[in-house]
Structures are given as structure tokens and as C-alpha cells.
Amino acid sequence: MDMTSELASTASGADPRVGLKAASALRSLAETLEAAQVGNARRQGWSWQDIADVLGVTKQAVHQKHASAEKKRGARDV
């Protein structure tokens, strides 16, 4: 069983402490994946609006969340 499946299975268990820890770990994994793919999209020339459309959020929301990481990497603003 891979880590994600194991966490999902654990999150649905009867012990709230274990389930909440698993939910927190899944949230962290999702945030890490989103940040990596936003960076990937920006390096490939995607606009903030393009990314926002795919994520189902506003351009402002995705920019506010991820622009500082892009500036740290020194990427150009498209």
C-alpha cells in the first residue's frame, strides 16, 4: 500500500487522534503537490489565470498563495 492510500485508510478509522493526524498529513501532501505543480506551470509559461482556472480558485488567490515562492526562485512574472 502506498503512503497516500495508507493515510486515507488511517484517516477513516475510529480513533479521532489518529484520523486527525492522517488528515493533517494528507493536507500537507496536497499543499506540497500543488506548490510543485504551480511552479512547474509557471516555468512552462502558464499565467496565474490559467493556473487559477484549473485549481478552481481566483487568480488573486493563487497569486497570493504562490507568488512569494516564485520570487524566491527568481522566476519571471508572466
Side-chain angles (χ1 to χ4, degrees):
M1 183 182 307
D2 68 8
M3 183 176 118
T4 304
S5 297
E6 185 176 331
L7 285 170
S9 176
T10 301
S12 63
D15 184 342
R17 182 174 309 279
V18 173
L20 289 168
K21 285 182 178 182
S24 177
L26 285 167
R27 185 173 18 264
S28 178
L29 178 62
E31 291 293 327
T32 299
L33 178 58
E34 180 179 305
Q37 290 306 319
V38 167
N40 184 35
R42 293 292 292 161
R43 284 188 297 278
Q44 291 186 33
W46 286 39
S47 70
W48 290 114
Q49 187 63 59
D50 294 336
I51 296 166
D53 290 345
V54 172
L55 292 176
V57 299
T58 65
K59 175 177 79 170
Q60 292 81 4
V62 76
H63 184 268
Q64 182 177 11
K65 186 173 181 180
H66 296 286
S68 64
E70 180 173 334
K71 288 180 182 176
K72 287 178 186 174
R73 285 191 313 268
R76 65 182 178 87
D77 191 19
V78 175

